[in-house]
């Protein structure tokens, strides 16, 4: 890649003039500016964003550390996609940009992994990034503490971190799960199961806690065979639903910790000859796009996905400009009632 010095030599101008062409073009006469831009285009020269940050001591680049989990590189989740769009839009509106620092967890592939977060912290400083947004797949959540303690402004999404310039954004997962189960109890269900996310994942554990609390409040015993773990994705919802339906006393209602798993549960119920909602009531979590268009339309707990991005962007910009640690942000959820829930059949 051509350098600014090479461009300057070819154009017969100083390096400072080349810099001004790209950063303060109004200060360079039209003829010189045109010559520099023409040569730069011919050599495919692009200004170095890190160098700009170093000279101005202010970066508009935010690193996005996303552990996509090398064991399942094909994983895509609509909720995460919606969240990223909201984050990008919120940062762009304030003149900031995202630099993806994705890792599959294999240091041989990326040169730095969450198993060795020091490499990422050093990368952040080398590129003069203004801060980091952390998204975790559930396999290396503990490593995020190293980022939080580094002093680099950090905002984690759905991972509780604590540090001098670190905070996190999450949803009211406990309250959302409670509202979902209360809805099923209100319809007359007492045999209520849950399909959870991965154990150890913070939103998943919080939703299980909300599920158990709502049952306790309703005077309904919590059954361990009614708690089946999934991974937030559709296939795991199908597998978990098959396990629940194979019980001697299968549930009449299920709270799934994600809409993807709820859709998988619908497919399993249909394969077993059951109808939703006539034979089985289902509630999901997230309110992704498919929830409103699947048949039957899915009752679900909606998360504020645009609010996630806006809150994360606001928190990280505050830490960059003011230098203070932001308080954790818990966003409210709401129950969206559609067509996937009915009253239990009379025995």
């Amino acid at each position: 890649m051509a350098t600014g010095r090479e461009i300057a030599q070819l154009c017969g101008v100083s390096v400072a003039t080349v810099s001004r062409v790209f950063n303060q073009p109004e200060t360079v006469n039209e003829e010189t500016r045109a010559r520099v831009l023409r040569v730069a285009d011919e050599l495919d020269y692009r200004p170095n964003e890190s160098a700009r940050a170093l000279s101005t001591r202010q970066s508009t680049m935010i690193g996005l550390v996303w552990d996509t989990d090398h064991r399942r590189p094909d994983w895509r989740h609509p909720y995460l996609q919606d969240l990223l769009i909201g984050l990008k839009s919120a940062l762009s509106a304030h003149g900031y940009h995202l630099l993806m620092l994705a890792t599959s967890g294999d240091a041989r592939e990326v040169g730095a992994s969450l198993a060795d977060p020091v490499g990422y912290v050093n990368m952040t400083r080398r590129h003069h990034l203004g801060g980091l947004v952390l998204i975790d797949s559930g396999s290396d959540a503990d490593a995020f503490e190293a980022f939080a303690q580094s002093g680099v402004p950090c905002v984690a999404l759905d991972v509780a971190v604590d540090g001098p310039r670190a905070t996190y954004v999450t949803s009211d997962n406990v309250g959302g799960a409670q509202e979902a189960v209360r809805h099923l109890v209100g319809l007359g269900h007492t045999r209520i199961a849950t399909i959870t996310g991965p154990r150890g994942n913070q939103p998943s554990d919080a939703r299980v806690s909300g599920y158990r609390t709502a049952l306790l409040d309703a005077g309904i015993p919590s059954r361990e065979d009614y708690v089946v773990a999934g991974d937030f994705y559709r296939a795991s919802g199908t597998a978990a639903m098959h396990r629940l339906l194979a019980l001697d006393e299968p549930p009449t209602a299920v709270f799934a910790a994600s809409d993807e798993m709820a859709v998988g549960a619908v497919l399993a119920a249909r394969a077993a000859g059951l109808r939703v909602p006539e034979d089985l009531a289902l509630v999901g979590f997230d309110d992704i796009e498919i929830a409103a268009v699947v048949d039957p339309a899915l009752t679900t707990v909606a998360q504020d996905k645009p609010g996630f991005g806006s809150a994360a962007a606001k928190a990280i910009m505050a830490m960059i400009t003011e230098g203070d640690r932001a308080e954790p942000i818990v966003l409210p959820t709401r129950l969206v009632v559609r067509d996937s829930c009915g009253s239990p059949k009379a025995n």
Side-chain angles (χ1 to χ4, degrees):
M1 181 180 295
T3 66
R5 184 173 298 279
E6 291 170 337
I7 300 298
Q9 289 173 346
L10 289 170
C11 294
V13 298
S14 68
V15 175
T17 298
V18 173
S19 177
R20 289 201 306 275
V21 167
F22 290 97
N23 297 299
Q24 297 174 299
E26 69 282 359
T27 66
V28 182
N29 71 66
E30 184 177 347
E31 180 182 352
T32 300
R33 186 168 67 245
R35 185 165 72 253
V36 169
L37 290 174
R38 184 181 67 254
V39 173
D41 184 61
E42 290 172 356
L43 298 181
D44 195 28
Y45 169 75
R46 296 292 181 271
N48 187 298
E49 187 67 33
S50 297
R52 287 184 180 182
L54 182 61
S55 64
T56 62
R57 299 191 181 276
Q58 184 175 8
S59 175
T60 60
M61 193 71 70
I62 303 298
L64 175 66
V65 178
W66 187 358
D67 170 25
T68 55
D69 194 336
H70 72 282
R71 293 164 297 183
R72 295 288 298 274
D74 59 324
W75 277 12
R76 302 290 185 274
H77 200 288
Y79 170 71
L80 290 177
Q81 294 171 19
D82 290 345
L83 189 154
L84 283 174
I85 290 171
L87 176 63
K88 178 181 178 296
S89 298
L91 287 172
S92 296
H94 291 86
Y96 284 78
H97 311 280
L98 276 177
L99 175 65
M100 177 72 79
L101 302 174
T103 170
S104 67
D106 189 338
R108 293 171 301 176
E109 295 179 5
V110 298
S113 74
L114 294 186
D116 179 24
V118 173
Y120 266 116
V121 173
N122 290 338
M123 185 188 302
T124 299
R125 290 168 177 154
R126 284 199 306 272
H127 288 283
H128 306 284
L129 300 180
L132 293 172
V133 176
L134 312 176
I135 300 180
D136 177 60
S137 70
S139 62
D140 288 299
D142 291 345
F144 282 8
E145 277 302 318
F147 292 103
Q149 296 301 321
S150 70
V152 176
C154 294
V155 175
L157 306 184
D158 271 337
V159 181
V161 297
D162 188 29
R165 301 178 74 189
T167 191
Y168 62 93
V169 181
T170 190
S171 291
D172 182 7
N173 292 293
V174 172
Q178 287 177 312
E179 191 172 11
V181 175
R182 283 198 296 264
H183 178 68
L184 295 171
V185 170
L187 292 172
H189 292 278
T190 57
R191 288 163 30 205
I192 303 171
T194 185
I195 301 175
T196 78
R199 289 189 172 91
N201 175 277
Q202 292 179 19
S204 174
D205 291 348
R207 291 169 199 176
V208 173
S209 176
Y211 160 81
R212 294 187 189 277
T213 299
L215 291 181
L216 181 64
D217 291 344
I220 300 173
S222 179
R223 298 175 46 165
E224 287 306 313
D225 57 347
Y226 276 9
V227 179
V228 181
D231 60 17
F232 290 135
Y233 291 83
R234 190 175 306 176
S236 72
T238 299
M241 192 70 242
H242 282 309
R243 284 182 57 185
L244 290 168
L245 293 177
L247 295 174
D248 291 337
E249 191 177 35
T252 62
V254 174
F255 162 56
S258 77
D259 291 342
E260 280 273 308
M261 293 194 299
V263 171
V266 170
L267 298 178
R270 285 179 179 168
L274 300 179
R275 298 167 299 165
V276 177
E278 292 85 356
D279 303 314
L280 179 71
L282 276 167
V283 181
F285 205 109
D286 290 335
D287 196 28
I288 59 176
E289 185 176 2
I290 196 175
V293 298
V294 71
D295 184 24
L298 190 63
T299 293
T300 185
V301 178
Q303 299 197 74
D304 184 1
K305 294 182 284 293
F308 245 95
S310 178
K314 183 178 179 181
I316 200 162
M317 286 187 293
M319 286 188 287
I320 290 171
T321 58
E322 300 170 17
D324 296 329
R325 174 186 178 276
E327 290 299 315
I329 300 167
V330 179
L331 299 174
T333 59
R334 61 186 177 88
L335 184 69
V336 179
V337 178
R338 296 193 179 104
D339 305 325
S340 61
C341 294
S343 299
K345 280 185 168 183
N347 293 328

